[in-house]
Amino acid sequence: MGRILAIDFGKKRTGIAVTDELQIIASGLTTVSTDEIFMFLKAYVSKEKVDLFIVGKPKQMDNTDSESEALILPFLQKLSKEIPQIEVKRVDERFTSKMAFQTMIDGGLKKNQRKNKALVDEISATIILQSYLYNK
């Protein structure tokens, strides 16, 4: 079995989380500059077996797509062209940033550490992945 890799796509930064080979545990991997995301993903899948990409789907409270979806759709099209061998699934990512911030508070991180937006993105990707694992 290969890993499942989750992507919390953002305009500036993209959070990445990944499972173990048994697809049981979701762990934050890193945050990558969005400009370098395809270089990172290609390098990662050349070293690790990845069965599936999970990409967050931002929704508003009324269940309509958020404005960020307009940025994600071109990314998804390019992803399917650049790495066509790996299936992509979408997961509702509502509240993941708030949950990530609360996780940082609960984890005892100091106020300065909680300002680290890259860490918030990585934790958000982990929450998206954990949500997928829980519901599959």
Side-chain angles (χ1 to χ4, degrees), residues 25-123:
I25 299 168
S27 302
L29 182 62
T30 191
T31 301
V32 178
S33 168
T34 297
D35 296 340
E36 299 170 1
I37 188 64
F38 287 104
M39 187 171 60
F40 173 84
L41 291 173
K42 286 178 180 179
Y44 189 83
V45 300
S46 73
K47 290 182 268 177
E48 297 284 347
K49 182 173 178 355
V50 176
D51 288 344
L52 178 66
F53 288 132
I54 301 295
V55 178
K57 184 167 181 61
K59 296 271 198 178
Q60 295 184 8
M61 291 303 295
D62 65 0
N63 212 31
T64 59
D65 289 344
S66 128
E67 295 170 9
S68 318
E69 184 69 3
L71 299 171
I72 296 172
L73 292 174
F75 164 74
L76 291 171
Q77 290 173 338
K78 188 171 180 184
L79 182 61
S80 67
K81 286 180 186 157
E82 298 278 331
I83 311 174
Q85 70 276 19
I86 299 176
E87 181 185 5
V88 177
K89 290 188 179 179
R90 305 291 304 277
V91 170
D92 186 341
E93 67 169 51
R94 269 180 285 198
F95 309 116
T96 55
S97 291
K98 288 180 180 157
M99 291 167 63
F101 191 73
Q102 187 61 48
T103 300
M104 294 168 83
I105 291 170
D106 294 346
L109 291 180
K110 300 203 181 326
K111 197 171 193 174
N112 269 352
Q113 294 169 308
R114 294 193 305 257
K115 291 179 183 175
N116 180 349
K117 291 188 170 142
L119 183 56
V120 172
D121 293 337
E122 183 180 325
I123 294 171

